[in-house]
Amino acid sequence: MSSFTGVSIVQGHEGCSCNTWAVDAGTNNGYHLLMVNGYSRTKEDTPVAVCISSGAFVVGGHAWFLEYFPNGENPNCADFICLYVSLFRQDDKPVDARFSFSFIDQVEEQMPMYIRATNQACRFADDDSDSWGTRKFLRKDALERSAHLKGDSFTIRCDIMVCKDPNTEDASGHDTKVLLSDIDQHFHTLLQTKVGADVTFEVSGETFTAHRCVLAARSKVFMAQLFGPRKGGTTTSGVIHIKDMRANVFRALLRFIYTDSFPEIEKDDMEEEEVSQVLEGGQKEEATEDEMWIQWIQDLFVAADRYDLRRLKCISERQLSDSIGVSSVMSTLALAEQHHCHGLKEACLKFIQVQSPSCLQTVTTTDGWDHVVSTYPSVLKELFVKLASNRQK
């Protein structure tokens, strides 16, 4: 288990100051708490791209500190709170570590095995890579609607696992390389190298090779498709054609199947999307990075449900719940209704319920609104009931 390294308290009502009480974890696994008191003041008083830093705490013999950006690290993520963990440079030797951020009550995500499985090791090596984190930890409006914000305060837990030099031994004389589980890396290498691959898929014109046994072990749908009485599906010369899915989504699906870790959308995938919409007069407006990311999560959510990957579906559902916005709420609501996700549906309805009249007007101009009106009229009735309840209060 991880060792407690102390707590840093951000006081929003005292000029956004941060006081840190710290102890040495004494091990390579440690966690530090970041308590934000007076969240609304930190949001009001801290400009975009400005962070509030904690004091130093020690894990694995190295000093670390946390950075909290109340209004995003840059204008592109100004709607999110951003969190980073940074290494105090003591020498030129690189340090490899896994880290994770969670709310204090998200106990499952704080288990060492979960952190190993869902977070790749990052190298803290020089001035350009001394800090790692997440630019989009949580949308501010999602935080403000959540149970994590209590009395204008919330607490973040940062877990850090310093990776030992694999050529060293621990105190008991055991090889550290043997003690640490890296089965996820082995399977990821198997996917990348294609050694022993025995099935080929074609998705949106792109070809993927994989291993039947791995896919079948992870998904009942793949089990039936690859080994059931109707095995093969839609094939041409032994190639299975996957319809109604983008290549980057299928690539992420395979990555999850092999590693059991939630995939990150890569820069190349973002460039492939280049989502644009045609405006009046034939002009094109490029979709923002946020819009492309949400679309990608929505597609991954659908793919997870299609192949009965319940854990991936659950994670994607939570990501969508935390990222609901005016432009995406109706499309997400439609997906929640279609795929029977009551929690996600309620999150969307509650988001709409608290919007201003001008924001509601914007919601009705989205493509998602038209889709819900034409396909799920019962959902529209539920929405009207919730909006009507606002007037009765």
Side-chain angles (χ1 to χ4, degrees):
M1 297 296 291
S2 295
S3 299
F4 178 59
T5 69
V7 59
S8 295
I9 303 175
V10 175
Q11 298 289 359
H13 299 290
E14 297 180 7
C16 297
S17 61
C18 184
N19 299 313
T20 296
W21 173 81
V23 294
D24 189 338
T27 68
N28 288 318
N29 298 345
Y31 69 91
H32 192 79
L33 301 180
L34 179 69
M35 299 178 61
V36 178
N37 294 331
Y39 157 73
S40 56
R41 283 294 298 272
T42 67
K43 186 174 68 169
E44 293 169 4
D45 297 346
T46 310
V48 174
V50 175
C51 72
I52 301 172
S53 299
S54 76
F57 56 94
V58 178
V59 179
H62 303 279
W64 310 83
F65 66 97
L66 304 180
E67 293 178 317
Y68 159 56
F69 292 80
N71 290 300
E73 182 198 16
N74 59 59
N76 291 330
C77 52
D79 293 332
F80 295 78
I81 63 171
C82 305
L83 297 168
Y84 281 82
V85 58
S86 300
L87 175 69
F88 272 116
R89 297 302 306 169
Q90 297 171 316
D91 52 46
D92 295 331
K93 187 176 181 179
V95 177
D96 294 329
R98 288 183 171 91
F99 67 90
S100 70
F101 291 106
S102 60
F103 287 102
I104 189 66
D105 56 347
Q106 294 175 322
V107 179
E108 178 188 346
E109 298 183 14
Q110 297 158 7
M111 302 300 291
M113 289 301 295
Y114 180 91
I115 296 170
R116 287 194 189 98
T118 57
N119 297 275
Q120 294 184 348
C122 297
R123 172 151 292 191
F124 297 78
D126 50 42
D127 291 340
D128 294 329
S129 60
D130 269 355
S131 297
W132 291 87
T134 171
R135 291 187 301 153
K136 297 178 180 179
F137 177 71
L138 184 64
R139 288 185 66 96
K140 291 182 289 187
D141 53 8
L143 171 63
E144 291 157 14
R145 297 192 308 270
S146 74
H148 301 302
L149 187 66
K150 301 174 182 178
D152 204 31
S153 301
F154 64 90
T155 301
I156 295 292
R157 169 168 162 159
C158 176
D159 283 85
I160 298 176
M161 303 177 67
V162 175
C163 304
K164 293 182 179 179
D165 185 339
N167 297 316
T168 63
E169 295 183 346
D170 67 3
S172 63
H174 294 115
D175 188 345
T176 304
K177 189 174 183 178
V178 175
L179 293 176
L180 294 177
S181 173
D182 53 3
I183 189 172
D184 58 323
Q185 297 177 26
H186 291 164
F187 273 90
H188 189 220
T189 300
L190 188 67
L191 175 63
Q192 289 182 314
T193 60
K194 306 177 184 179
V195 174
D198 56 2
V199 62
T200 302
F201 298 91
E202 184 177 302
V203 187
S204 298
E206 190 169 338
T207 301
F208 298 87
T209 56
H211 305 78
R212 292 172 182 267
C213 288
V214 175
L215 301 182
R218 298 280 283 150
S219 164
K220 294 179 181 178
V221 176
F222 274 126
M223 174 69 81
Q225 183 179 25
L226 299 173
F227 294 101
R230 297 183 179 180
K231 61 184 178 180
T234 305
T235 65
T236 301
S237 301
V239 177
I240 299 177
H241 298 270
I242 305 294
K243 298 181 179 180
D244 303 320
M245 187 179 298
R246 280 193 276 263
N248 66 342
V249 175
F250 190 73
R251 184 183 301 113
L253 189 78
L254 287 180
R255 200 179 308 151
F256 176 83
I257 287 174
Y258 277 75
T259 67
D260 201 42
S261 61
F262 187 76
E264 296 289 340
I265 186 168
E266 297 178 358
K267 184 178 180 181
D268 290 344
D269 292 336
M270 296 284 281
E271 292 174 352
E272 285 176 12
E273 289 293 314
E274 292 184 344
V275 178
S276 62
Q277 68 181 89
V278 179
L279 304 177
E280 293 183 6
Q283 294 179 335
K284 289 186 177 181
E285 179 184 24
E286 291 187 0
T288 66
E289 183 179 319
D290 286 348
E291 290 170 342
M292 287 189 286
W293 184 80
I294 290 174
Q295 180 63 60
W296 183 76
I297 295 293
Q298 289 177 340
D299 292 344
L300 195 58
F301 170 80
V302 173
D305 189 53
R306 177 174 175 176
Y307 288 99
D308 196 25
L309 296 167
R310 297 182 183 181
R311 183 166 177 270
L312 179 59
K313 181 182 177 182
C314 182
I315 297 173
S316 300
E317 179 183 352
R318 188 176 63 194
Q319 293 271 10
L320 290 173
S321 295
D322 291 343
S323 305
I324 296 172
V326 171
S327 63
S328 65
V329 62
M330 293 307 294
S331 60
T332 299
L333 178 59
L335 288 178
E337 180 69 7
Q338 179 183 353
H339 296 276
H340 312 292
C341 287
H342 179 74
L344 181 58
K345 176 181 176 180
E346 280 300 307
C348 291
L349 292 175
K350 288 180 181 179
F351 175 86
I352 298 172
Q353 188 178 8
V354 299
Q355 297 305 304
S356 65
S358 61
C359 286
L360 289 175
Q361 180 65 34
T362 303
V363 168
T364 61
T365 63
T366 62
D367 294 337
W369 174 270
D370 295 334
H371 179 56
V372 169
V373 169
S374 61
T375 311
Y376 305 109
S378 61
V379 174
L380 204 60
K381 292 180 181 179
E382 292 181 58
L383 177 58
F384 287 154
V385 169
K386 286 189 176 292
L387 292 175
S389 68
N390 288 348
R391 293 188 175 185
Q392 297 173 0
K393 292 180 180 179

